[in-house]
Amino acid sequence: MAALAAQRPGLRAACAGLAPARAARRSVLGVPLRPGVAWRPSRCGSSAAEAPATKAEEDSFLQWFLLLIPVTAFGLGTWQVQRRKWKLNLIAELESRVLAEPIPLPADPVELKALEYRPVKVRGHFDHSKELYMMPRTMVDPAREAREAGRISSSAESGAHVITPFHCPDLGTTILVNRGFVPRKKVNPDTRRKGQIEGEVDLVGMVRLTETRKPFVPENNPEGNHWYYRDLEAMAKITESTVPGGPIGGQTRVTVRNEHMQYIITWYGLCAATSYLWFKKFLRRTPGA
């Protein structure tokens, strides 16, 4: 018993000596480890290091992707500058043709190909018994069109253009003359007898050539005397006239839309705005932003 008693203090001493070792086996988080479980280092530090690299890659992609906006806008603005130059030349050419002095109508149809929108003069008489009607049409009225610019609906009255054969004894041929616009209620020639001129007259009008059918435009209906576009064989040469009680002439639209300056301002303005935002975000941001 004495020997046993003598061993107990040593055992306690040994056990007391193990206390610091047990304390050392606690994790860095202060959580005691279970027996038989090996401690492994956390990978949080690795993930935290990868996050900035991924964000940097995303920022780089976003930076160059957003740069496409001002670059594209600048390209479109420059393209509109070229388009405006082309349109101004076209308008100048049309004005020079329209304002030129009338010339006698050539007898050779081949010569007419170079006379689109050119004023010509001719003498002859109408054949009202063979009128043709291009419809639906609205009257060309620049004043009304300026008032209603930007509106969805229009107050323009629907009607038709009256195309009348015109015999030219001096040329030995017959041409088709666009006499102008009549409202739908006046399409029937019996309702406008006063405007049906008889006898020889001198006409001055602009040469218009044939046109091809545009998409979604119906085919002409010769049997029903309903024409949607100028056909080469039926309406090869067109001039116009206005008489009291008859169709309203001047229905050849020679104005050309020129809105390219608005497009230029729009695209260059977008380019400037987006360039400033891109520069402010990617080139002038403070460190750590």
Side-chain angles (χ1 to χ4, degrees), residues 77-96:
T78 304
W79 175 63
Q80 287 297 330
V81 170
Q82 301 300 323
R83 289 280 298 175
R84 182 174 182 270
K85 185 184 300 184
W86 168 80
K87 186 63 68 66
L88 290 175
N89 292 335
L90 177 61
I91 292 174
E93 181 181 356
L94 286 177
E95 289 179 349
S96 66

Side-chain angles (χ1 to χ4, degrees), residues 100-103 118-123 166 177 201-207 239-242:
E101 289 294 322
I103 62 174
R118 183 67 187 270
V120 294
K121 54 186 178 181
V122 65
R123 183 174 180 80
F166 189 78
V177 176
V201 294
D202 293 316
L203 292 182
V204 175
M206 285 179 290
V207 174
T239 56
E240 300 175 355
S241 67
T242 299

Side-chain angles (χ1 to χ4, degrees), residues 37-189:
V37 178
W39 177 82
R40 294 180 182 178
S42 174
R43 302 184 63 181
C44 295
S46 176
S47 299
E50 293 176 357
T54 303
K55 186 176 185 302
E57 293 177 358
E58 293 177 353
D59 287 349
S60 178
F61 172 78
L62 181 64
Q63 174 181 355
W64 297 112
F65 177 77
L66 292 180
L67 186 61
L68 290 176
I69 298 177
V71 170
T72 302
F74 181 83
L76 291 173
T78 304
W79 175 63
Q80 287 297 330
V81 170
Q82 301 300 323
R83 289 280 298 175
R84 182 174 182 270
K85 185 184 300 184
W86 168 80
K87 186 63 68 66
L88 290 175
N89 292 335
L90 177 61
I91 292 174
E93 181 181 356
L94 286 177
E95 289 179 349
S96 66
R97 287 174 173 265
V98 172
L99 300 177
E101 289 294 322
I103 62 174
L105 180 68
D108 187 358
V110 177
E111 299 181 30
L112 293 175
K113 294 182 178 180
L115 298 178
E116 181 93 38
Y117 291 104
R118 183 67 187 270
V120 294
K121 54 186 178 181
V122 65
R123 183 174 180 80
H125 62 275
F126 289 105
D127 184 359
H128 299 292
S129 64
K130 298 179 180 179
E131 284 184 348
L132 306 175
Y133 307 109
M134 293 184 63
M135 56 192 307
R137 293 291 189 274
T138 56
M139 187 173 70
V140 175
D141 186 352
R144 174 187 55 77
E145 293 171 359
R147 291 193 307 268
E148 298 180 350
R151 296 183 184 178
I152 299 178
S153 60
S154 174
S155 61
E157 184 179 7
S158 178
H161 285 181
V162 179
I163 313 298
T164 307
F166 189 78
H167 300 295
C168 309
D170 296 340
L171 299 177
T173 187
T174 299
I175 63 175
L176 293 173
V177 176
N178 182 348
R179 298 184 62 207
F181 172 83
V182 294
R184 187 174 294 273
K185 62 184 178 181
K186 292 286 186 180
V187 171
N188 189 335

Side-chain angles (χ1 to χ4, degrees), residues 205-265:
M206 285 179 290
V207 174
R208 297 301 311 277
L209 303 179
T210 188
E211 63 180 351
T212 57
R213 185 174 69 89
K214 296 180 175 61
F216 309 111
V217 174
E219 292 285 355
N220 288 330
N221 181 12
E223 292 77 13
N225 197 9
H226 200 153
W227 304 81
Y228 296 96
Y229 63 96
R230 294 189 305 274
D231 182 80
L232 178 62
E233 296 183 0
M235 304 171 181
K237 312 175 188 68
I238 301 176
T239 56
E240 300 175 355
S241 67
T242 299
V243 296
I248 301 174
Q251 298 304 302
T252 297
R253 190 183 298 274
V254 294
T255 57
V256 179
R257 291 181 58 186
N258 183 18
E259 300 178 352
H260 295 287
M261 180 56 72
Q262 300 177 26
Y263 302 147
I264 291 172
I265 295 174

